[in-house]
Amino acid sequence: MIKFNLNLNLNLNLNLKLLYQGLIYCGLFLSLSACTTSSIPSPQPTKTQRKTPDKVVGNSPTFAAKLVNDKGGYYCSNGSTAFGPITQRMIQKCIDWGGGSSCQNNQWSETLFLKAYGNGRCPDGSRFNSIIGYCVEGNNSIGPFSKQLVTACQNADGGNSCQSNRWNSNFLYKLLRNEGLITPPEIPPQFVLLAFDGAESLEAWNKSRNFAKTLEQKGINLRFTYFISAVYFVNTENRKLYNAPAGNGLGRSAIGWGGEVDDVKKRLEQVNLAHQEGHEIASHAVGHFYGYNWSEADWKKEFDYFDKFIFDAYKINGLTGHLAFDRSAIEGFRAPQLATSSGLFRTLEKEGFRYDTSLTSQPNYWPQKQNGVWNFPLVSITTALTKKSVLSMDYNFYYLHSKAKPNSSNAKRYEEDMFKTYMNYFESNYKGNRAPVHIGHHFSAWNNGAYWNALFRFAEAVCGQPDVKCVTYRELADFMDMLTPSQIAAYHKGVFPTVLAENTPPTNSVKAEEIQSELCQVSETVGQLNP
């Protein structure tokens, strides 16, 4: 049998010597806090970085690596001070606690740092990218980085920027590939992407989240991607805050509004819980209008409204609190009614999206980048019982089965048709070229819940199988970023060994007692500049 060397927790093809000598440099394999006072810019830094003058730190203190929690996070400290990078979410916490301008420093008291860090593997506001083995915040990967990578960065003319605590993730991927530190598997995993559009129904939020928890208790990992509509986070009384693009009107929405303030509050609680449980929150725009002829300016306006209504939701609705994530966590988009325009595709990358799921393709399609973002399309499949062509989305089954009108008397047949269709789709890809399986659903229990029932049966049937990864879209994007065009082309051809790969145990993590204090070194120069 062939050894499958990628765990999603995608096991990386890294040897233990490198893990010890390289990725735990500065006392960290998974770099969750800086072991250096350097805030020199990341190679290929993002446009949000601000220019500040360089300065010199004298007499570098001695640091020790410390375990921040039991989930694998370490940080470096001189006994009283912890050093960045500090995430934006941590800064917001500090400000909320009355820290003022001092929150912008990259040196915090150890007590404050640990309090703001949170309870996860990565510092609050960032997430763990299992492909590269680092935490990421938006487009940046959080260091410190191994000696091997720093040397590779310098050889790539990165200069002093190579000593920074934040690197552009695309740049890091390139170095990791060039250094042979990440290697695509001979047989790719079978990714299964299960997503919901909408966000209104509190019952649907609870039902989907609880289902994922139930599977987890059975040892099956499943995470959903939620494409949320921003109108559901504005109470109906405040609807005139929205002047819909392309002349669709002031205070108008194609799908209603958020209802009473208490409804919005409960919805925000669900979004936070979903995020904290590892599900992904993505964008389904605002008013659910058909944007097939929208200009770039129209889409820009819609995205601005989305950011305002989601990230100012507490203020708009007169509530106290914050979302558990910031704008950098919104990496994906699905257009309402899958209506796209050239203006949309000129806008997505500019607005910071990594991927789009608005297009359609064939089941064996391996993703490509289009207009700077990954194209993760729904697909056209043939139904098992009716032998009709349908898109891999519940509404399309609803329309095919009953012309989008309720018909509960045939609900069981509809459920069976969808379940068997999804299974045929999965089996064809799983035993074929392993192209990702894309399935989209809504927060609507059409035909007496037939389609939700079918989705849950499908998920339970496939998500625990060998080599199957039921993950979020951003995790698929993490995997795709590792690949070169030639590797994607090879996957698409599906020329794999005839035997299925075996699961492998998780990558060996570094134990606390293996961390050596002398690995926590401090750079003498600090500074930050903008290209």
Side-chain angles (χ1 to χ4, degrees), residues 363-438:
N364 68 344
Y365 171 82
W366 263 97
Q368 304 282 336
K369 271 196 173 180
Q370 298 183 12
N371 303 288
V373 299
W374 287 111
N375 174 37
F376 296 149
L378 295 168
V379 303
S380 177
I381 49 181
T382 301
T383 57
L385 302 183
T386 58
K387 305 302 180 183
K388 301 289 186 180
S389 179
V390 67
L391 202 64
S392 56
M393 178 172 270
D394 59 350
Y395 180 81
N396 299 75
F397 279 84
Y398 182 40
Y399 188 87
L400 177 68
H401 286 153
S402 59
K403 301 300 181 184
K405 295 181 180 179
N407 184 3
S408 59
S409 62
N410 283 328
K412 194 62 184 176
R413 175 177 169 81
Y414 298 152
E415 176 186 332
E416 200 65 19
D417 192 25
M418 173 180 274
F419 172 70
K420 289 183 176 179
T421 301
Y422 283 172
M423 288 302 299
N424 289 344
Y425 173 23
F426 168 81
E427 291 291 342
S428 177
N429 284 27
Y430 187 47
K431 296 176 182 178
N433 75 345
R434 293 283 181 92
V437 168
H438 304 273

Side-chain angles (χ1 to χ4, degrees), residues 449-467:
Y451 307 122
W452 273 65
N453 294 340
L455 177 69
F456 286 177
R457 286 175 60 192
F458 170 75
E460 190 158 12
V462 306
C463 291
Q465 293 194 36
D467 255 3

Side-chain angles (χ1 to χ4, degrees), residues 194-201 203-212 222-229 233 270-271 273-275 277-284 306 325 329-330 332-334 355 441-443 452 456 472-473:
L194 304 175
F196 290 103
D197 296 358
E200 181 181 22
S201 170
E203 180 183 0
W205 277 110
N206 276 312
K207 187 175 182 179
S208 56
R209 290 178 42 246
N210 288 338
F211 175 72
L222 162 66
R223 293 296 181 268
F224 293 115
T225 301
Y226 294 97
F227 292 95
I228 62 174
S229 301
F233 299 88
Q270 289 293 325
V271 168
L273 288 170
H275 170 79
E277 290 160 7
H279 303 288
E280 180 183 2
I281 307 300
S283 173
H284 197 42
F306 179 89
F325 55 93
I330 305 295
F333 178 71
R334 177 172 288 161
Y355 68 84
H441 275 235
H442 289 78
F443 269 23
W452 273 65
F456 286 177
T472 64
Y473 272 104

Side-chain angles (χ1 to χ4, degrees), residues 165-180:
N165 301 312
R166 290 177 180 271
W167 290 5
N168 176 274
S169 291
N170 289 334
F171 178 82
L172 178 57
Y173 267 99
K174 182 177 180 180
L175 291 184
L176 289 167
R177 286 195 301 265
N178 292 345
E179 293 295 305

Side-chain angles (χ1 to χ4, degrees), residues 45-75:
T46 60
K47 62 183 179 181
T48 57
Q49 293 174 308
R50 293 172 296 179
K51 185 173 182 179
T52 57
D54 289 347
K55 58 183 179 180
V56 176
V57 177
N59 297 324
S60 298
T62 300
F63 295 92
K66 294 186 177 182
L67 184 67
V68 71
N69 56 37
D70 61 357
K71 297 180 175 64
Y74 293 87
Y75 71 105

Side-chain angles (χ1 to χ4, degrees), residues 113-315:
F113 177 84
L114 292 174
K115 182 180 179 182
Y117 189 98
N119 298 318
R121 187 175 196 172
C122 293
D124 202 0
S126 65
R127 66 179 182 86
F128 182 65
N129 180 323
S130 60
I131 301 297
I132 59 177
Y134 286 95
C135 297
V136 296
E137 180 185 20
N139 294 326
N140 289 326
S141 296
I142 297 175
F145 302 99
S146 70
K147 292 180 179 179
Q148 180 178 351
L149 286 174
V150 171
T151 299
C153 174
Q154 292 169 338
N155 291 338
D157 296 327
N160 287 338
S161 299
C162 299
Q163 301 295 331
S164 69
N165 301 312
R166 290 177 180 271
W167 290 5
N168 176 274
S169 291
N170 289 334
F171 178 82
L172 178 57
Y173 267 99
K174 182 177 180 180
L175 291 184
L176 289 167
R177 286 195 301 265
N178 292 345
E179 293 295 305
L181 302 181
I182 53 175
T183 305
E186 188 174 15
I187 304 176
Q190 178 59 66
F191 291 102
V192 176
L193 292 307
L194 304 175
F196 290 103
D197 296 358
E200 181 181 22
S201 170
L202 295 173
E203 180 183 0
W205 277 110
N206 276 312
K207 187 175 182 179
S208 56
R209 290 178 42 246
N210 288 338
F211 175 72
K213 291 177 184 177
T214 298
L215 288 194
E216 195 164 20
Q217 291 170 357
K218 298 178 180 180
I220 300 173
N221 187 68
L222 162 66
R223 293 296 181 268
F224 293 115
T225 301
Y226 294 97
F227 292 95
I228 62 174
S229 301
V231 288
Y232 295 133
F233 299 88
V234 178
N235 68 77
T236 305
E237 191 173 299
N238 281 338
R239 64 188 180 277
K240 289 189 177 180
L241 290 173
Y242 180 53
N243 189 6
N248 281 292
L250 180 66
R252 291 191 64 246
S253 160
I255 53 173
W257 291 89
E260 301 295 327
V261 168
D262 191 57
D263 297 325
V264 175
K265 179 181 178 181
K266 292 176 180 177
R267 217 166 279 129
L268 287 166
E269 290 171 353
Q270 289 293 325
V271 168
N272 276 340
L273 288 170
H275 170 79
Q276 290 162 351
E277 290 160 7
H279 303 288
E280 180 183 2
I281 307 300
S283 173
H284 197 42
V286 183
H288 210 268
F289 290 109
Y290 196 68
Y292 76 101
N293 63 351
W294 281 14
S295 68
E296 186 174 347
D298 291 331
W299 285 109
K300 174 67 166 62
K301 182 179 181 181
E302 184 80 342
F303 292 141
D304 287 346
Y305 274 124
F306 179 89
D307 291 349
K308 176 179 176 63
F309 293 160
I310 297 300
F311 295 102
D312 289 345
Y314 285 90
K315 180 180 179 181

